[in-house]
Amino acid sequence: MKFSKSKKITIASIISIAFITIALIIASQSKTPQTEEEKVEEPITEIVEAEKDEVLEEEVEPETEEVTEEKTETEEVVEEVKEEDSVEKPQNAPETSKNESETNNTTQVETKPQSLQNSSNSTTTNQSSNSTTTSKPSSAVNNSSSSSSNSSNSTSSSNNSSNSNTTTQTKPETSTPAPVPTPEPQPVKVTGVTTSTANLTLEIGGTGKMTATVSPSNADNKAVTFSSSNTAVATVDQSGNIVAKGSGTAYITATSKENSKMSASIVVTVKEKPKTAVYTGDSIVARLRNEKGWYGSGTYAYLAPSENSAAELTYVEVSSAKSTGTGIDTRITVYNSQVDGVVSGVEQVIRWIMPNQGQQVINKLHDSSYYGGTLEGIDGRKVVISLKNYGIVIDIYAKYE
């Protein structure tokens, strides 16, 4: 019984489906003419869709201008990044990364209008799918907001991409330049030698000092050496101390040790030391009177037969000539050499005055071929022997010490 009931329901279903199929075939073959409402509704729909297109175009155009401005700002940011990279990047850095960055940034900017176009297409599709005129403007506004949002997101994505490229780009390591070596100081050479010491005039045994100055004042080697052109006249040590040795002239020179062509000199003139005349005539006269018993008084002594004998009878006379101002110390006058004691007395006076070399004078007096002359340096004295018509005169000059 269950089987027959189910079979009835299945047959009824099949019949219903067949009727529905036939009805659909008939309806498709014969179109129903449009009603007046449908005819009026069709132009209205076309007008609404045209207004929607104009609204969409007006909304899309500002968005396109905004995108263009954002694109220009993005390009300026890209240019600044390029300039910074070109400053920091070494000259030999490869240009491929720069070109890749430019290509990526350009691609990102160019894809923005496509996003807007898709958004616009999507908006148009949504608008055409709506059946009522009241809902169409609202849909356009929503789609405009969606397009603006998509444009903003696209711009933000472009900026993030640019920032990402700038941030992640690895700067090439620059090698640290080697330190510049410090130049070694150049030596300061001697350019001259001067002295503030004037020419010197010294007596034998006198001393002086020479100083020398090296130019420039900051010369590395300021040492000088001192030398004398005539050490018999003057000597000098390496401190510039000068000692006069003998009469004459010598050049004392200070020479740079670094450069022997640089020197300075002074002239040293040495004179004999003034000597003091030593007169012994007075003491000789007094000694003749006291020791030999000669006669006389004051500045002379004589040998004669008696104290009151006439002058022509005087055999020999010794006088002190200091007061004459001629430089003669003692004068011996022999009148008669044949008298005993005259020769011995004269020889004694000569030896007293010139104890070392007086014998040379005595020898001349005994030389029959000697007729007088001048003898120098006899114990530092000058002796002049003269032959006169009345006898022999011996002038013994003062000794200078």
Side-chain angles (χ1 to χ4, degrees):
M1 293 298 288
K2 289 181 180 180
F3 172 76
S4 62
K5 185 179 181 179
S6 174
K7 185 176 179 181
K8 289 179 180 180
I9 292 171
T10 304
I11 294 171
S13 298
I14 293 170
I15 293 170
S16 297
I17 292 169
F19 278 111
I20 292 171
T21 302
I22 294 169
L24 289 175
I25 293 171
I26 294 170
S28 62
Q29 289 180 354
S30 59
K31 289 184 178 180
T32 304
Q34 294 181 347
T35 64
E36 293 296 329
E37 291 179 343
E38 291 176 348
K39 291 180 181 179
V40 172
E41 184 179 359
E42 184 175 359
I44 292 173
T45 303
E46 292 176 355
I47 292 170
V48 170
E49 289 178 354
E51 288 178 353
K52 284 170 58 180
D53 292 338
E54 289 177 358
V55 171
L56 288 175
E57 288 176 357
E58 289 176 356
E59 289 179 351
V60 170
E61 286 177 359
E63 290 176 356
T64 305
E65 291 177 356
E66 291 177 358
V67 171
T68 304
E69 290 177 356
E70 290 175 353
K71 176 182 177 181
T72 304
E73 292 177 354
T74 302
E75 289 176 348
E76 291 177 354
V77 172
V78 171
E79 290 296 328
E80 291 178 355
V81 171
K82 291 178 183 179
E83 291 176 355
E84 292 177 355
D85 290 344
S86 65
V87 173
E88 297 175 357
K89 187 165 57 175
Q91 294 181 356
N92 58 353
E95 296 183 356
T96 56
S97 62
K98 175 180 176 182
N99 295 331
E100 291 175 0
S101 176
E102 292 179 356
T103 304
N104 292 333
N105 291 329
T106 303
T107 303
Q108 292 170 0
V109 173
E110 289 178 351
T111 55
K112 292 177 183 178
Q114 294 177 0
S115 176
L116 291 175
Q117 184 177 358
N118 293 332
S119 175
S120 178
N121 294 332
S122 175
T123 303
T124 303
T125 304
N126 291 332
Q127 289 174 351
S128 62
S129 64
N130 293 325
S131 61
T132 62
T133 58
T134 56
S135 62
K136 290 176 182 179
S138 175
S139 176
V141 171
N142 291 333
N143 289 331
S144 174
S145 298
S146 176
S147 174
S148 176
S149 176
N150 291 334
S151 174
S152 176
N153 291 334
S154 176
T155 304
S156 176
S157 175
S158 175
N159 290 335
N160 291 334
S161 176
S162 175
N163 292 334
S164 177
N165 290 337
T166 304
T167 303
T168 59
Q169 183 176 0
T170 302
K171 297 180 181 179
E173 295 182 359
T174 57
S175 59
T176 304
V180 178
T182 303
E184 296 182 359
Q186 297 298 320
V188 180
K189 297 183 178 181
V190 176
T191 59
V193 177
T194 59
T195 180
S196 59
T197 305
N199 295 334
L200 299 176
T201 299
L202 303 175
E203 297 176 355
I204 295 175
T207 60
K209 185 175 180 64
M210 178 183 180
T211 59
T213 303
V214 174
S215 299
S217 59
N218 62 337
D220 292 337
N221 188 352
K222 298 181 181 180
V224 297
T225 56
F226 292 93
S227 60
S228 172
S229 63
N230 190 346
T231 56
V233 174
T235 60
V236 63
D237 62 17
Q238 293 309 306
S239 297
N241 298 312
I242 302 169
V243 178
K245 294 295 185 179
S247 58
T249 300
Y251 292 92
I252 305 300
T253 302
T255 304
S256 168
K257 280 189 175 181
E258 179 188 284
N259 187 353
S260 60
K261 295 181 180 180
M262 301 298 170
S263 63
S265 300
I266 62 171
V267 179
V268 176
T269 302
V270 179
K271 295 181 178 180
E272 291 186 0
K273 185 177 181 179
K275 297 178 180 180
T276 301
V278 178
Y279 291 90
T280 59
D282 290 340
S283 63
I284 294 299
V285 169
R287 192 173 183 181
L288 285 172
R289 289 199 303 261
N290 296 330
E291 294 183 14
K292 295 295 183 180
W294 288 22
Y295 303 111
S297 62
T299 61
Y300 66 94
Y302 61 92
L303 180 61
S306 63
E307 183 176 359
N308 296 322
S309 297
E312 62 270 12
L313 297 177
T314 302
Y315 307 134
V316 58
E317 181 183 285
V318 178
S319 62
S320 172
K322 177 181 179 180
S323 60
T324 62
T326 59
I328 299 174
D329 179 16
T330 304
R331 175 172 284 178
I332 301 171
T333 304
V334 179
Y335 297 103
N336 187 352
S337 60
Q338 299 301 318
V339 178
D340 291 338
V342 171
V343 174
S344 60
V346 170
E347 290 178 353
Q348 187 62 62
V349 170
I350 292 172
R351 290 190 177 97
W352 282 345
I353 297 173
M354 296 170 288
N356 297 320
Q357 297 175 323
Q359 188 60 42
Q360 296 180 25
V361 178
I362 294 172
N363 293 336
K364 293 293 183 181
L365 293 174
H366 288 284
D367 186 357
S368 59
S369 62
Y370 182 74
Y371 297 96
T374 301
L375 303 175
E376 297 283 353
I378 307 301
D379 279 6
R381 295 173 183 269
K382 181 172 72 171
V383 178
V384 178
I385 301 173
S386 303
L387 297 179
K388 305 296 184 178
N389 57 0
Y390 55 82
I392 300 172
V393 178
I394 304 170
D395 291 328
I396 302 173
Y397 284 77
K399 180 179 180 180
Y400 289 90
E401 296 180 346

